[in-house]
């Protein structure tokens, strides 16, 4: 069982920055970590995913602006978001998938609102 708690969301003007954090607790061998987002009326979409190898994949819409990182000593994931745009407004979710097939966990989400 793994628990995820996001923090760091808020309201920011276009061009500003925010840093999201995700505290990871519990046990389980994690295969991939990720950040997803869901805007009103839209499907949830991948923002960034990081595999154990270190390979990180970003959505085209955030490449060059967002950076995902992990700090194993603190069991946290982070998403540094720079040059934010109004279209980045969404609820952002932390996600992990375990090595054991079929085990996937989500945080409760944190709201990010970018004003123009």
């Amino acid at each position: 069982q793994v628990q995820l708690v996001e923090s760091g969301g808020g309201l920011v003007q276009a061009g500003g920055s925010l840093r999201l954090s995700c505290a990871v607790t519990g046990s389980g061998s994690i295969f991939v970590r990720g950040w997803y987002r869901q805007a009103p009326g839209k499907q949830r979409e991948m923002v960034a995913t990081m595999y154990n190898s270190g390979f990180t994949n970003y959505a085209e819409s955030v490449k060059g602006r967002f950076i995902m990182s992990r700090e194993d000593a603190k069991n946290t994931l982070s998403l540094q978001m720079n040059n934010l745009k109004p279209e980045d407004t969404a609820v952002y979710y932390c996600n992990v998938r375990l090595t054991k097939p079929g085990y996937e966990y989500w945080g409760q989400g944190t709201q990010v609102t970018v004003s123009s």
Side-chain angles (χ1 to χ4, degrees), residues 56-72:
T56 305
N57 186 40
Y58 294 94
E60 285 296 325
S61 59
V62 307
K63 276 184 181 178
R65 299 188 298 121
F66 291 12
I67 301 173
M68 180 177 177
S69 61
R70 56 186 279 197
E71 191 170 356
D72 292 342

Side-chain angles (χ1 to χ4, degrees), residues 4-110:
L4 307 173
V5 178
E6 302 98 335
S7 60
L11 173 64
V12 64
Q13 287 189 329
S17 298
L18 279 176
R19 185 177 181 87
L20 304 183
S21 294
C22 175
V24 183
T25 58
S27 61
S29 177
I30 297 174
F31 173 62
V32 60
R33 300 159 175 83
W35 287 96
Y36 291 73
R37 67 186 181 187
Q38 187 167 18
K42 294 188 176 181
Q43 288 190 329
R44 191 171 298 188
E45 64 176 0
M46 184 275 291
V47 175
T49 52
M50 177 183 288
Y51 293 82
N52 281 344
S53 64
F55 173 76
T56 305
N57 186 40
Y58 294 94
E60 285 296 325
S61 59
V62 307
K63 276 184 181 178
R65 299 188 298 121
F66 291 12
I67 301 173
M68 180 177 177
S69 61
R70 56 186 279 197
E71 191 170 356
D72 292 342
K74 295 183 178 180
N75 288 326
T76 60
L77 307 176
S78 296
L79 184 68
Q80 177 66 41
M81 306 185 294
N82 301 318
N83 190 22
L84 283 159
K85 304 176 180 181
E87 51 263 42
D88 294 319
T89 295
V91 177
Y92 284 70
Y93 298 89
C94 181
N95 169 274
V96 299
R97 275 176 273 166
L98 300 189
T99 302
K100 188 173 183 179
Y103 284 79
E104 182 176 27
Y105 300 91
W106 295 89
Q108 83 287 354
T110 185

